[in-house]
Amino acid sequence: MTSPLIDGRALRATAAPAAVSVVVPTRNEAGNIRELLNRIARVLPEHSPHEVLFVDDSTDDTPDVVRSAAHDHPFPIRLLHRDRPDGGLGGAVVEGLRAATGDWVVVMDGDLQHPPELVPHLVGRGREDGADLVVASRYARGGSRAGLAGGYRLLVSGVSTLLSKSLFPRRLSGVSDPMSGFFAVRRDAVAGTLAGEGLKPLGYKILLELVVRCRPRALATVAEVPFTFRARYTGQSKSTAREGLRFLQHLAGLRTGTALSRMVVFGLIGLTGFLPNLAALWLLTRSGLHYLPAEVLANQAGVAWNLLLTELLLFHRERAHRHWADRWARFALLANADLLLRIPLIALLVAGLGLAVLPATALALIATFVLRFAATQALIYVPRTRRPPVRGDGGKDHS
């Protein structure tokens, strides 16, 4: 009996319903595919309806290996190859969740660091406890991070977990391992979120995205199963410094999901701009430049710093619709216009309303800050027209 390998563009239309869908995001994991499928086949009963769905961003022969291995197993093995890896591994998982047909969807890596033998236990725990989400945790009692190679990766994992739980103490309550990429979720619990644009994956921490955006409304009950994180079967880790930066961007995006929180972060970024401003002023005056032109030039150093952090932490998703030179020019114009607006406003408050200088200055600072935040968002980062995102060929399977 052979297993159907379904064209990526026809996933939803042709896939038969399954009780359990195993979604495996892959990127250059050709050496792990056959072993992964063999171990899944050994732990999922042949008579139970299940499927394995690979969402693939590979540049090697991983899709070919999946096609070949599909004929060796009786259960459906489905392939969605993406020409554009939008959202990274997290984006691949979201595509898989949308395409899955199972009542339960198990998400796991393709490198065998997540033991396939745990798949039925995750689903079983969810059904027994009536949970919406079951997390395979390295930090639950009985779990282990043994497969994390070296002290550096252990440190990064621990710090990332601590940072995430510190920023979202209520949403992550009861979730000991928000960095885990191994979990089972009841598909109906997240169907509404998947149908809209509630998820904005960036990088590989999709569990964190799901829990923060869907809990407690959609994911009301969460359970955990301990597991030992294994060493890779073959291949190299995809965890890089660039992925670390994307994680920080993702964390900032999650934390600044509301206008108020964005405004607070915008203000904090503005405060940090005093440091490069003062440093530039000291260097310019030490070099013999008069303090007045030095003030103007030093202010530009603070503006550049603020723009850099604003784009990295607040608006990294909204940059693409406008050229970088246009964004920088607009940001600098707004930042310097703030100075021109503040002085007349202080004069109006003092002379026209009779306020003392200090409260008038404080009110002017608040007013111009709010205006600058609103103008920055509206004039630089909000697209002039909302167009559907440009995608590849719809996930075509090049078979």
Side-chain angles (χ1 to χ4, degrees), residues 218-236:
L219 301 176
T221 307
V222 177
E224 290 191 332
V225 171
F227 89 106
T228 298
F229 189 76
R230 316 270 181 171
R232 287 182 63 89
Y233 186 68
T234 64
Q236 296 182 339

Side-chain angles (χ1 to χ4, degrees), residues 8 54 56-58 63 79-83 393 395-398:
F54 290 95
D56 183 63
D57 296 336
S58 296
L79 172 67
L80 175 59
H81 179 72
R82 306 195 306 165
D83 287 337
D393 63 357
K396 182 179 180 182
D397 170 28
H398 302 283

Side-chain angles (χ1 to χ4, degrees), residues 104 120-131 134 223-226:
W104 280 88
H121 297 285
L122 290 172
V123 176
R125 178 67 183 274
R127 287 170 175 164
E128 290 172 9
D129 291 5
V134 183
E224 290 191 332
V225 171

Side-chain angles (χ1 to χ4, degrees), residues 39 112-115 117 144 146-148 227-232:
R39 288 172 62 177
L112 293 165
Q113 292 187 299
H114 299 155
E117 293 74 16
S144 170
L148 282 174
F227 89 106
T228 298
F229 189 76
R230 316 270 181 171
R232 287 182 63 89

Side-chain angles (χ1 to χ4, degrees), residues 115 126 203 236 261 301 323 345 348:
Q236 296 182 339
S261 59
H323 191 271
L345 183 57
L348 175 64

Side-chain angles (χ1 to χ4, degrees), residues 124-176:
R125 178 67 183 274
R127 287 170 175 164
E128 290 172 9
D129 291 5
D132 300 309
L133 173 71
V134 183
V135 179
S137 173
R138 298 164 293 181
Y139 298 101
R141 186 173 183 179
S144 170
R145 301 180 295 169
L148 282 174
Y152 171 75
R153 288 194 65 191
L154 286 169
L155 177 63
V156 169
S157 175
V159 170
S160 299
T161 299
L162 180 62
L163 183 59
S164 300
K165 290 181 71 68
S166 298
L167 289 175
F168 304 100
R170 294 180 62 186
R171 298 292 178 93
L172 296 180
S173 174
V175 180
S176 63

